[in-house]
Amino acid sequence: MQLSAHLLLVAAATATVGHAAVWKITILDIGTRENTCSRQVQACQNNCGGPSLAPMAFCNSTTMAWGCGCLNNTPNMAVWNWPVPTADCSGSLNVCNTNCGASNATSACFENCTKTHMCNTEDAPVSYTSSSDVAIAPLYVGPAVSYKGDNLGNLNDGNDRSGLSTSSSAPAQSASNTNTQETPKGAATSITSVAATAFQLTSVTVFAAIAAAMMI
């Protein structure tokens, strides 16, 4: 089933607050989340030049937190084109349209949904799904601004943004798309294990040599 079909089903079954559907990317079914995460990680690895060059390529299919960092270059894919932000925008758009229909709104409501959800462009609403670590859940909801920095007003996705300032900048969401020279935790552990093993083998060899010398 295509992602759009999943989103239509989600829009119909979304939690409601005052009869308004509320969008959150984690309401996607697990199959869709896993598929989106798989494509997210693969896109990052390809952008970095391969899995071994992408130590910060991650996506948590439970929280949908994602990040991308390369060893030798800065990821050059626009944030609004990554799989997770794309799915987040599409889901918000579907819920926006659902809420227009539920309230018997005029065509202007649907037109505003399209205008405020120009997915895969710099005019798309910022997706607050990126994270600095796979174990850290993202914000999910933030100021309704585009990646270009424009105030989009009401996204009509059921989320309360009344206490959020639109002064927050879109570039902050690119924080996970940074060039990193950090050694992956797994690699550091492996290096430590190898060093310990080498020390043990060296010690055994030395003691064996001493014992042999004493027998001469």
Side-chain angles (χ1 to χ4, degrees):
M1 185 180 292
Q2 297 297 316
L3 178 61
S4 58
H6 278 289
L7 292 174
L8 288 174
L9 290 174
V10 167
T14 311
T16 59
V17 176
H19 302 295
V22 180
W23 168 250
K24 187 177 181 181
I25 194 169
T26 54
I27 64 176
L28 291 172
D29 66 83
I30 184 60
T32 301
R33 297 200 308 272
E34 289 178 343
N35 178 270
T36 302
C37 268
S38 177
R39 291 186 292 108
Q40 174 64 51
V41 171
Q42 184 175 36
C44 177
Q45 292 175 340
N46 290 340
N47 198 271
C48 291
S52 63
L53 299 176
M56 284 292 288
F58 68 82
C59 183
N60 186 326
S61 61
T62 298
T63 65
M64 296 308 289
W66 68 277
C68 182
C70 306
L71 280 177
N72 301 323
N73 63 286
T74 299
N76 58 16
M77 181 182 288
V79 183
W80 51 85
N81 283 329
W82 290 107
V84 174
T86 295
D88 195 27
C89 181
S90 297
S92 180
L93 171 60
N94 275 285
V95 170
C96 182
N97 285 321
T98 295
N99 287 335
C100 286
S103 61
N104 297 315
T106 63
S107 59
C109 183
F110 294 95
E111 291 172 0
N112 188 64
C113 288
T114 301
K115 181 180 178 180
T116 57
H117 292 81
M118 299 183 69
C119 305
N120 297 114
T121 74
E122 64 178 351
D123 294 308
V126 170
S127 173
Y128 297 90
T129 50
S130 64
S131 178
S132 60
D133 189 274
V134 68
I136 300 176
L139 294 175
Y140 298 115
V141 180
V145 295
S146 70
Y147 290 99
K148 194 164 60 177
D150 294 335
N151 183 359
L152 298 177
N154 182 18
L155 296 180
N156 198 28
D157 62 358
N159 288 295
D160 182 10
R161 296 180 174 83
S162 58
L164 300 176
S165 171
T166 55
S167 62
S168 297
S169 59
Q173 285 303 298
S174 302
S176 60
N177 294 347
T178 55
N179 184 29
T180 175
Q181 295 293 335
E182 295 179 354
T183 303
K185 294 178 181 178
T189 302
S190 298
I191 292 172
T192 302
S193 299
V194 170
T197 301
F199 174 78
Q200 292 173 352
L201 291 175
T202 301
S203 299
V204 171
T205 302
V206 170
F207 287 134
I210 293 175
M214 292 177 65
M215 294 176 64
I216 296 176

Coordinates of all heavy atoms in Angstrom, one line a residue, residues 24-94:
K24 N 0.2 13.6 14.3 CA 1.5 13.3 14.9 C 2.0 12.1 14.1 O 1.3 11.1 13.9 CB 1.3 12.9 16.4 CG 2.7 12.8 17.1 CD 2.5 12.5 18.5 CE 3.8 12.3 19.3 NZ 3.6 12.1 20.7
I25 N 3.2 12.2 13.6 CA 3.7 11.2 12.7 C 3.8 9.8 13.3 O 3.7 8.8 12.5 CB 5.2 11.6 12.2 CG1 5.6 10.7 11.0 CG2 6.2 11.5 13.4 CD1 6.8 11.2 10.3
T26 N 3.8 9.7 14.6 CA 3.8 8.3 15.2 C 2.5 7.6 15.1 O 2.4 6.4 15.5 CB 4.2 8.4 16.7 OG1 3.4 9.4 17.4 CG2 5.7 8.9 16.8
I27 N 1.4 8.2 14.6 CA 0.2 7.5 14.5 C 0.2 6.7 13.2 O -0.8 5.9 13.0 CB -1.0 8.4 14.5 CG1 -1.0 9.4 13.3 CG2 -1.1 9.2 15.8 CD1 -2.3 10.3 13.2
L28 N 1.2 6.8 12.4 CA 1.3 6.0 11.2 C 1.5 4.5 11.7 O 2.1 4.3 12.7 CB 2.5 6.4 10.3 CG 2.4 7.7 9.6 CD1 3.7 8.0 9.0 CD2 1.3 7.7 8.6
D29 N 1.0 3.6 10.9 CA 1.1 2.2 11.4 C 2.6 1.8 11.3 O 3.4 2.4 10.6 CB 0.3 1.2 10.5 CG 0.7 1.2 9.0 OD1 1.7 0.5 8.8 OD2 0.2 2.0 8.2
I30 N 2.9 0.8 12.1 CA 4.3 0.4 12.3 C 5.0 0.0 10.9 O 6.2 0.3 10.7 CB 4.4 -0.8 13.3 CG1 5.9 -1.2 13.5 CG2 3.6 -2.0 12.8 CD1 6.7 0.0 14.1
G31 N 4.2 -0.6 10.0 CA 4.8 -1.0 8.7 C 5.2 0.2 7.9 O 6.3 0.2 7.3
T32 N 4.4 1.2 8.0 CA 4.7 2.5 7.2 C 5.9 3.2 7.9 O 6.8 3.7 7.2 CB 3.5 3.4 7.2 OG1 2.4 2.8 6.6 CG2 3.8 4.7 6.5
R33 N 5.9 3.2 9.2 CA 7.0 3.8 9.9 C 8.3 3.1 9.7 O 9.4 3.8 9.4 CB 6.7 3.9 11.5 CG 5.5 4.7 11.9 CD 5.5 5.1 13.3 NE 5.8 4.0 14.2 CZ 4.8 3.3 14.8 NH1 3.6 3.5 14.4 NH2 5.1 2.3 15.6
E34 N 8.3 1.8 9.7 CA 9.6 1.1 9.4 C 10.0 1.3 8.0 O 11.2 1.4 7.7 CB 9.3 -0.4 9.7 CG 9.2 -0.8 11.2 CD 8.9 -2.2 11.4 OE1 8.5 -2.9 10.4 OE2 9.1 -2.7 12.5
N35 N 9.1 1.3 7.0 CA 9.5 1.6 5.6 C 10.1 3.0 5.5 O 11.1 3.1 4.8 CB 8.2 1.4 4.8 CG 8.5 1.7 3.3 OD1 8.4 2.8 2.8 ND2 8.9 0.6 2.6
T36 N 9.4 3.9 6.1 CA 9.9 5.3 6.0 C 11.3 5.4 6.6 O 12.2 6.1 6.1 CB 8.9 6.3 6.7 OG1 7.6 6.2 6.1 CG2 9.4 7.7 6.6
C37 N 11.5 4.8 7.8 CA 12.8 4.8 8.4 C 13.9 4.2 7.6 O 15.0 4.6 7.5 CB 12.7 4.2 9.8 SG 12.3 5.3 11.2
S38 N 13.5 3.0 7.0 CA 14.5 2.3 6.1 C 14.9 3.2 5.0 O 16.1 3.3 4.7 CB 13.8 1.0 5.6 OG 14.7 0.4 4.7
R39 N 14.0 3.9 4.4 CA 14.3 4.8 3.3 C 15.1 6.0 3.8 O 16.0 6.5 3.1 CB 13.1 5.3 2.5 CG 12.4 4.1 1.8 CD 11.2 4.6 0.9 NE 10.1 5.1 1.7 CZ 9.7 6.3 1.9 NH1 10.4 7.3 1.3 NH2 8.7 6.7 2.6
Q40 N 14.8 6.5 5.0 CA 15.5 7.6 5.6 C 17.0 7.2 5.8 O 17.9 8.0 5.4 CB 14.9 8.0 6.9 CG 15.6 9.0 7.7 CD 15.7 10.4 7.0 OE1 14.6 10.9 6.5 NE2 16.9 10.9 6.8
V41 N 17.3 6.1 6.4 CA 18.7 5.7 6.6 C 19.4 5.4 5.3 O 20.6 5.8 5.2 CB 18.7 4.4 7.5 CG1 20.1 3.8 7.6 CG2 18.1 4.7 8.9
Q42 N 18.7 4.8 4.4 CA 19.4 4.5 3.1 C 19.7 5.8 2.3 O 20.8 5.9 1.7 CB 18.4 3.7 2.2 CG 19.1 3.2 0.9 CD 18.2 2.3 0.1 OE1 17.0 2.4 0.1 NE2 18.8 1.3 -0.6
A43 N 18.8 6.8 2.4 CA 19.0 8.1 1.7 C 20.3 8.8 2.4 O 21.1 9.3 1.6 CB 17.8 9.0 1.9
C44 N 20.4 8.7 3.7 CA 21.5 9.3 4.3 C 22.8 8.6 4.0 O 23.8 9.3 3.6 CB 21.3 9.3 5.9 SG 22.7 9.9 6.8
Q45 N 22.8 7.3 4.0 CA 24.0 6.5 3.6 C 24.4 6.8 2.2 O 25.6 7.0 1.9 CB 23.7 5.0 3.8 CG 23.5 4.6 5.3 CD 23.2 3.2 5.5 OE1 22.7 2.5 4.5 NE2 23.4 2.6 6.7
N46 N 23.5 6.9 1.3 CA 23.8 7.2 -0.1 C 24.4 8.6 -0.2 O 25.3 8.8 -1.0 CB 22.5 7.1 -1.0 CG 22.1 5.6 -1.1 OD1 22.8 4.7 -0.9 ND2 20.8 5.5 -1.5
N47 N 23.8 9.5 0.5 CA 24.3 10.9 0.5 C 25.7 11.0 1.0 O 26.5 11.9 0.6 CB 23.3 11.8 1.3 CG 23.5 13.3 0.9 OD1 24.2 14.0 1.5 ND2 22.7 13.7 0.0
C48 N 26.0 10.2 2.0 CA 27.4 10.2 2.6 C 28.4 9.5 1.8 O 29.6 9.6 2.0 CB 27.3 9.6 4.0 SG 26.4 10.6 5.2
G49 N 28.0 8.6 0.9 CA 28.9 7.8 0.1 C 29.0 6.4 0.5 O 29.9 5.6 0.0
G50 N 28.1 5.9 1.4 CA 28.1 4.5 1.8 C 27.9 4.4 3.3 O 28.1 5.3 4.0
P51 N 27.4 3.2 3.7 CA 27.1 3.0 5.1 C 28.3 3.3 6.1 O 28.1 3.9 7.1 CB 26.8 1.5 5.2 CG 26.2 1.2 3.8 CD 27.1 2.0 2.9
S52 N 29.5 2.9 5.7 CA 30.7 3.1 6.5 C 31.0 4.6 6.7 O 31.8 5.0 7.6 CB 31.9 2.4 6.0 OG 32.2 2.9 4.7
L53 N 30.5 5.4 5.8 CA 30.8 6.9 5.9 C 29.6 7.7 6.5 O 29.6 8.9 6.4 CB 31.1 7.4 4.4 CG 32.3 6.8 3.7 CD1 32.4 7.3 2.3 CD2 33.6 7.0 4.5
A54 N 28.7 6.9 7.0 CA 27.5 7.6 7.6 C 27.2 7.2 9.0 O 26.3 6.5 9.3 CB 26.3 7.3 6.7
P55 N 28.1 7.6 10.0 CA 28.0 7.1 11.3 C 26.8 7.7 12.1 O 26.4 7.1 13.1 CB 29.3 7.7 12.0 CG 29.6 8.9 11.2 CD 29.3 8.5 9.8
M56 N 26.2 8.7 11.5 CA 25.0 9.3 12.2 C 23.7 9.1 11.4 O 22.8 9.9 11.5 CB 25.2 10.8 12.4 CG 26.2 11.1 13.6 SD 25.5 10.7 15.2 CE 24.2 12.0 15.3
A57 N 23.7 8.0 10.6 CA 22.5 7.7 9.8 C 21.6 6.9 10.7 O 21.9 5.7 11.0 CB 22.8 6.9 8.6
F58 N 20.5 7.4 11.2 CA 19.6 6.7 12.1 C 18.2 7.1 11.9 O 17.9 8.2 11.5 CB 20.0 6.8 13.6 CG 19.9 8.2 14.2 CD1 18.6 8.6 14.7 CD2 20.9 9.0 14.3 CE1 18.5 9.9 15.2 CE2 20.8 10.3 14.8 CZ 19.6 10.7 15.3
C59 N 17.3 6.3 12.3 CA 15.9 6.6 12.3 C 15.2 5.6 13.3 O 15.3 4.4 13.1 CB 15.3 6.5 10.9 SG 13.5 7.0 10.9
N60 N 14.5 6.1 14.3 CA 13.8 5.3 15.3 C 12.3 5.1 14.8 O 11.6 6.1 14.8 CB 13.9 6.0 16.6 CG 13.3 5.2 17.7 OD1 12.3 4.4 17.6 ND2 13.9 5.3 18.9
S61 N 12.0 3.9 14.4 CA 10.6 3.7 13.9 C 9.5 3.8 14.9 O 8.4 3.8 14.6 CB 10.6 2.3 13.2 OG 10.8 1.3 14.2
T62 N 9.9 3.9 16.2 CA 8.9 4.1 17.3 C 8.6 5.6 17.4 O 7.4 6.0 17.5 CB 9.4 3.5 18.6 OG1 9.6 2.1 18.5 CG2 8.4 3.7 19.7
T63 N 9.7 6.4 17.6 CA 9.5 7.8 17.8 C 9.6 8.6 16.5 O 9.2 9.8 16.4 CB 10.5 8.4 18.8 OG1 11.8 8.2 18.2 CG2 10.5 7.6 20.1
M64 N 10.2 8.0 15.4 CA 10.4 8.6 14.2 C 11.5 9.7 14.3 O 11.6 10.6 13.4 CB 9.2 9.2 13.5 CG 8.1 8.1 13.2 SD 8.8 6.8 12.2 CE 9.1 7.6 10.6
A65 N 12.3 9.7 15.3 CA 13.4 10.6 15.4 C 14.5 10.1 14.4 O 14.7 9.0 14.2 CB 14.1 10.5 16.8
W66 N 15.0 11.1 13.7 CA 16.0 10.8 12.6 C 17.2 11.7 12.6 O 17.1 12.8 13.2 CB 15.3 10.8 11.2 CG 14.9 12.2 10.8 CD1 13.8 12.8 11.1 CD2 15.7 13.0 10.0 NE1 13.8 14.1 10.6 CE2 14.9 14.2 9.8 CE3 16.9 12.9 9.3 CZ2 15.4 15.3 9.1 CZ3 17.4 14.0 8.6 CH2 16.6 15.2 8.5
G67 N 18.3 11.3 12.0 CA 19.4 12.1 11.9 C 20.3 11.7 10.8 O 20.2 10.5 10.4
C68 N 21.2 12.5 10.3 CA 22.1 12.2 9.3 C 23.4 13.0 9.4 O 23.3 14.2 9.4 CB 21.5 12.4 7.9 SG 22.6 11.9 6.5
G69 N 24.5 12.3 9.5 CA 25.8 12.9 9.6 C 26.8 12.1 8.9 O 26.8 10.8 9.1
C70 N 27.7 12.7 8.1 CA 28.7 12.0 7.4 C 30.1 12.2 7.9 O 30.3 13.1 8.6 CB 28.7 12.4 5.9 SG 27.1 12.4 5.1
L71 N 31.0 11.3 7.6 CA 32.4 11.4 8.0 C 33.1 12.4 7.2 O 33.9 13.2 7.7 CB 33.1 10.0 7.9 CG 32.8 9.0 9.0 CD1 33.6 7.7 8.7 CD2 33.3 9.5 10.3
N72 N 32.9 12.4 5.9 CA 33.7 13.2 5.0 C 33.0 14.4 4.4 O 33.7 15.2 3.7 CB 34.3 12.4 3.9 CG 35.2 11.2 4.5 OD1 35.9 11.4 5.5 ND2 35.1 10.1 3.9
N73 N 31.8 14.5 4.6 CA 31.0 15.7 3.9 C 29.8 16.0 4.7 O 29.4 15.2 5.6 CB 30.7 15.3 2.5 CG 29.7 14.1 2.4 OD1 30.1 13.0 2.6 ND2 28.4 14.4 2.1
T74 N 29.2 17.1 4.4 CA 28.0 17.5 5.0 C 26.8 17.1 4.1 O 26.9 17.3 2.9 CB 27.9 19.1 5.2 OG1 29.0 19.5 6.0 CG2 26.6 19.5 5.8
P75 N 25.8 16.4 4.6 CA 24.7 16.0 3.8 C 24.2 17.1 3.0 O 23.9 18.2 3.5 CB 23.7 15.4 4.8 CG 24.5 15.0 5.9 CD 25.6 16.0 6.0
N76 N 24.0 17.0 1.7 CA 23.6 18.1 0.8 C 22.1 18.0 0.4 O 21.7 18.7 -0.5 CB 24.5 18.3 -0.4 CG 24.6 17.0 -1.2 OD1 23.7 16.1 -1.1 ND2 25.6 17.0 -2.1
M77 N 21.4 17.0 0.9 CA 20.0 16.9 0.5 C 19.2 17.9 1.4 O 19.4 18.1 2.6 CB 19.4 15.5 0.8 CG 17.9 15.4 0.4 SD 17.3 13.7 0.7 CE 18.1 12.7 -0.5
A78 N 18.3 18.7 0.7 CA 17.5 19.6 1.4 C 16.6 18.9 2.5 O 16.1 17.8 2.2 CB 16.6 20.4 0.4
V79 N 16.5 19.5 3.6 CA 15.8 18.8 4.8 C 14.4 18.5 4.4 O 13.9 17.4 4.7 CB 15.8 19.8 6.0 CG1 15.1 19.1 7.2 CG2 17.2 20.2 6.4
W80 N 13.7 19.3 3.6 CA 12.3 19.0 3.2 C 12.2 17.9 2.3 O 11.1 17.4 2.0 CB 11.7 20.3 2.6 CG 12.4 20.9 1.5 CD1 12.4 20.6 0.2 CD2 13.4 22.0 1.7 NE1 13.2 21.4 -0.5 CE2 13.8 22.3 0.4 CE3 13.8 22.8 2.7 CZ2 14.8 23.3 0.1 CZ3 14.7 23.8 2.5 CH2 15.2 24.1 1.2
N81 N 13.3 17.3 1.8 CA 13.2 16.2 0.9 C 13.5 14.8 1.5 O 13.4 13.8 0.9 CB 14.1 16.4 -0.3 CG 13.6 17.4 -1.4 OD1 12.3 17.4 -1.5 ND2 14.4 18.1 -2.0
W82 N 14.0 14.9 2.8 CA 14.3 13.6 3.4 C 12.9 12.8 3.6 O 11.9 13.5 3.8 CB 14.9 13.8 4.8 CG 16.3 14.4 4.7 CD1 16.7 15.6 5.1 CD2 17.5 13.7 4.4 NE1 18.1 15.8 4.9 CE2 18.6 14.6 4.5 CE3 17.8 12.3 4.0 CZ2 19.9 14.2 4.2 CZ3 19.1 12.0 3.7 CH2 20.1 12.9 3.8
P83 N 13.0 11.5 3.6 CA 11.7 10.7 3.8 C 10.9 11.0 5.0 O 9.6 11.1 4.9 CB 12.3 9.3 3.8 CG 13.5 9.3 2.9 CD 14.1 10.6 3.3
V84 N 11.5 11.2 6.2 CA 10.7 11.4 7.4 C 10.0 12.8 7.3 O 8.7 12.9 7.5 CB 11.5 11.3 8.7 CG1 10.7 11.7 9.9 CG2 12.0 9.9 8.8
P85 N 10.7 13.9 7.0 CA 10.0 15.2 6.9 C 8.9 15.2 5.8 O 7.9 15.8 6.0 CB 11.1 16.2 6.6 CG 12.3 15.6 7.3 CD 12.2 14.1 7.0
T86 N 9.2 14.4 4.7 CA 8.2 14.4 3.7 C 6.9 13.7 4.2 O 5.8 14.2 3.9 CB 8.7 13.6 2.5 OG1 9.8 14.3 1.9 CG2 7.7 13.4 1.4
A87 N 7.1 12.6 4.9 CA 5.9 11.9 5.5 C 5.2 12.7 6.5 O 3.9 12.7 6.6 CB 6.4 10.6 6.1
D88 N 5.9 13.5 7.2 CA 5.3 14.4 8.3 C 4.5 15.4 7.6 O 3.4 15.7 8.1 CB 6.5 15.0 9.1 CG 6.0 15.6 10.4 OD1 4.9 15.2 10.9 OD2 6.6 16.6 10.9
C89 N 5.0 16.0 6.5 CA 4.3 17.1 5.8 C 3.0 16.5 5.2 O 1.9 17.1 5.3 CB 5.2 17.7 4.7 SG 4.4 19.0 3.8
S90 N 3.1 15.3 4.5 CA 2.0 14.7 3.9 C 0.9 14.4 4.8 O -0.3 14.5 4.6 CB 2.4 13.4 3.1 OG 3.4 13.7 2.1
G91 N 1.3 13.9 6.0 CA 0.3 13.5 7.0 C -0.4 14.7 7.6 O -1.6 14.7 7.8
S92 N 0.3 15.8 7.8 CA -0.3 17.0 8.3 C -1.2 17.6 7.2 O -2.3 18.1 7.6 CB 0.8 18.1 8.6 OG 0.3 19.3 9.0
L93 N -0.9 17.5 6.0 CA -1.8 18.0 4.9 C -3.1 17.2 4.9 O -4.2 17.8 4.8 CB -1.1 17.9 3.6 CG -1.9 18.1 2.3 CD1 -2.5 19.5 2.3 CD2 -1.1 17.9 1.0
N94 N -3.0 15.9 5.0 CA -4.2 15.0 5.0 C -5.1 15.4 6.2 O -6.3 15.4 6.0 CB -3.8 13.6 5.0 CG -3.5 13.0 3.6 OD1 -4.4 12.8 2.8 ND2 -2.2 12.8 3.3

